Amino acid sequence: MPKEKYNPYNNFLKVMDNAAQIMGMQPDEYVTLRYPERELKVSVPVKMDDGSVKVFEGFRVQHSTLLGPGKGGIRFHEHVDIDDVKALAGMMSFKCAVVGIPYGGAKGGVAVDPKTLSRSELERVTRRYTTAIIPIIGPQKDVPAPDVGSNAQMMDWIMDTYSTNIGYPVHGVVTGKSIEVGGSLGRNEATGRGIMIITRQILSARQKPVKDAKIAVQGMGNVGSISALLLAEEGATIVAVSDVSGGVYSSTGLNIPEITAFIDGGKRPLTEYSAPGVTHISNEELIASDCEILIPAAMENQITAANAKNIKAKIIVEGANGPTTKEADEILTKRGVTIVPDILANAGGVTVSYCEWVQNIQAVLWDISNVNDFLAKILNKAFDEVYAASLQFGCSLRNAAYIVALKRMSTAHRLRGIFP
Ligand code: NAD
């Protein structure tokens, strides 16, 4: 989508305004949330392996610290710009507020394609970017995490860089770390587990069991593969999955553990997978496949005005951030398709990031059942609140999720007041 026509931050503001209007909130009650609290742009000079020097642009935006320290991932992607990061930071404020964890919203990014860097170049980019944002991050200020293009190893480098600069180990400065560096059990699976919990909830609200529900999942990375695995374990029939290379389909259900082992964390493309009864499909065909539930868990803007009319699923559970364009959302809502919005559906990741941070700052260790029980409790409660708001205001689940979050933030704002 051309940037001059589409500004993701303006789109975020429209969603917020719409929710405020539906609930009858006055502009003064939430005007501060229209303006990110802090935007930092940094240059990241790095010596490449061949001796040349490249300078990358980096960003960290703290949209709101009303409910707690900023929280949000760091995206490594060649197209990252300040408007993307502002929009994603704003969505993080609403995501944390809707699930009721004491965090604000933030996001970071470096405009680089990590696949073009060697491991040592990636380490130098990560450490130099961290050094540039050290003045505004910290366990009580702003706590980064992984996002598209970043991973646990990079979070470990961030923890090490921050700690080396501060002079003592600070595990709580970043989440999504390796277990050995203070990561939490269950964090890697948390977003997919959350998708499974939320899918179970929306089906239950329609008096339908997960067992035998036909589901298609776009994206077989962290979120998509774990959602598919856990939903298959619950008895769902996963009829289609895809990665960037294309997809596979079977009307009687795919063998998800076998497929996950085959792609081996993205090392092998799905197009090379074959099994009896399995046909190869494109990503467009996956979106239009014969299923009850579609889980877009790849990238933003995958469900568009062009393909919304072809969607057969009656329920969409947004695993990715922003997978549905505004136009597609309107078309689907008119058609009676239920969309469980990203800020609720994929909040499992940030919820277990919170568990990791709590363990780090208290220097305690939780076992896996503590983590998974906490996650289920938080997400089930958030779903019930959002569902109740959608009935109360007669609105979509997306508007309802923004209403629940807006109410929580504007109440905190009223109680805290404006300094001075
Ligand atoms: P990932 O990099 O692990 O996986 C992405 C997957 O999508 C890969 O299988 C890739 O091949 C596939 N893909 C990429 N482009 C595609 C395309 N055009 N069509 C089809 N498939 C495509 O990423 P992830 O961590 O699973 O994140 C996926 C989405 O979920 C992102 O929007 C991310 O912001 C969001 N999200 C992730 C988490 C998390 O904890 N990982 C939490 C919340 C939200």
Side-chain angles (χ1 to χ4, degrees), residues 397-418:
L397 291 174
R398 190 181 315 280
N399 284 328
Y402 274 81
I403 285 172
V404 169
L406 206 45
K407 207 181 271 180
R408 211 160 256 153
M409 284 189 281
S410 70
T411 305
H413 184 45
R414 182 169 44 76
L415 294 169
R416 283 182 60 166
I418 295 179

Side-chain angles (χ1 to χ4, degrees), residues 2 52 105 129 161-162 197 207 251 266 286 314 352 380 410 417:
S52 66
Y129 167 74
T161 306
Y162 185 88
I197 292 168
Q207 278 91 44
S251 60
L286 177 131
K314 285 276 162 255
V352 175
N380 286 332
S410 70

Side-chain angles (χ1 to χ4, degrees), residues 75 95 107 147-149 187 191 218-224 242-245 283 297-300 302 319-321 346 349:
R75 183 168 288 198
K95 193 180 291 188
K107 202 82 179 188
D147 190 65
V148 175
R187 173 62 186 90
T191 308
Q218 185 197 37
M220 276 297 270
N222 173 277
V223 180
S242 68
D243 65 11
V244 70
S245 72
N283 262 296
M299 295 293 285
E300 49 272 67
Q302 293 299 304
N321 285 317
N346 69 32

Side-chain angles (χ1 to χ4, degrees), residues 2 74 106 111 123 172 190 221 267-268 309 318 358 360 363 366 385 419:
I74 296 173
E123 178 173 352
K267 290 192 192 79
R268 273 196 288 185
K309 59 182 181 305
E318 293 186 335
V358 167
N360 292 160
W366 292 12
E385 286 173 348
F419 177 84

Side-chain angles (χ1 to χ4, degrees), residues 112-162:
V112 62
D113 177 359
K115 291 195 288 299
T116 63
L117 302 177
S118 69
R119 183 185 156 89
S120 58
E121 287 168 345
L122 186 61
E123 178 173 352
R124 288 195 290 280
V125 174
T126 307
R127 288 185 184 276
R128 184 63 193 243
Y129 167 74
T130 307
T131 306
I133 65 168
I134 276 181
I136 66 163
I137 62 169
Q140 310 302 338
K141 291 188 198 172
D142 179 1
V143 186
D147 190 65
V148 175
S150 57
N151 56 29
Q153 170 63 80
M154 292 156 77
M155 301 306 114
D156 301 343
W157 289 330
I158 293 174
M159 180 271 175
D160 184 71
T161 306
Y162 185 88

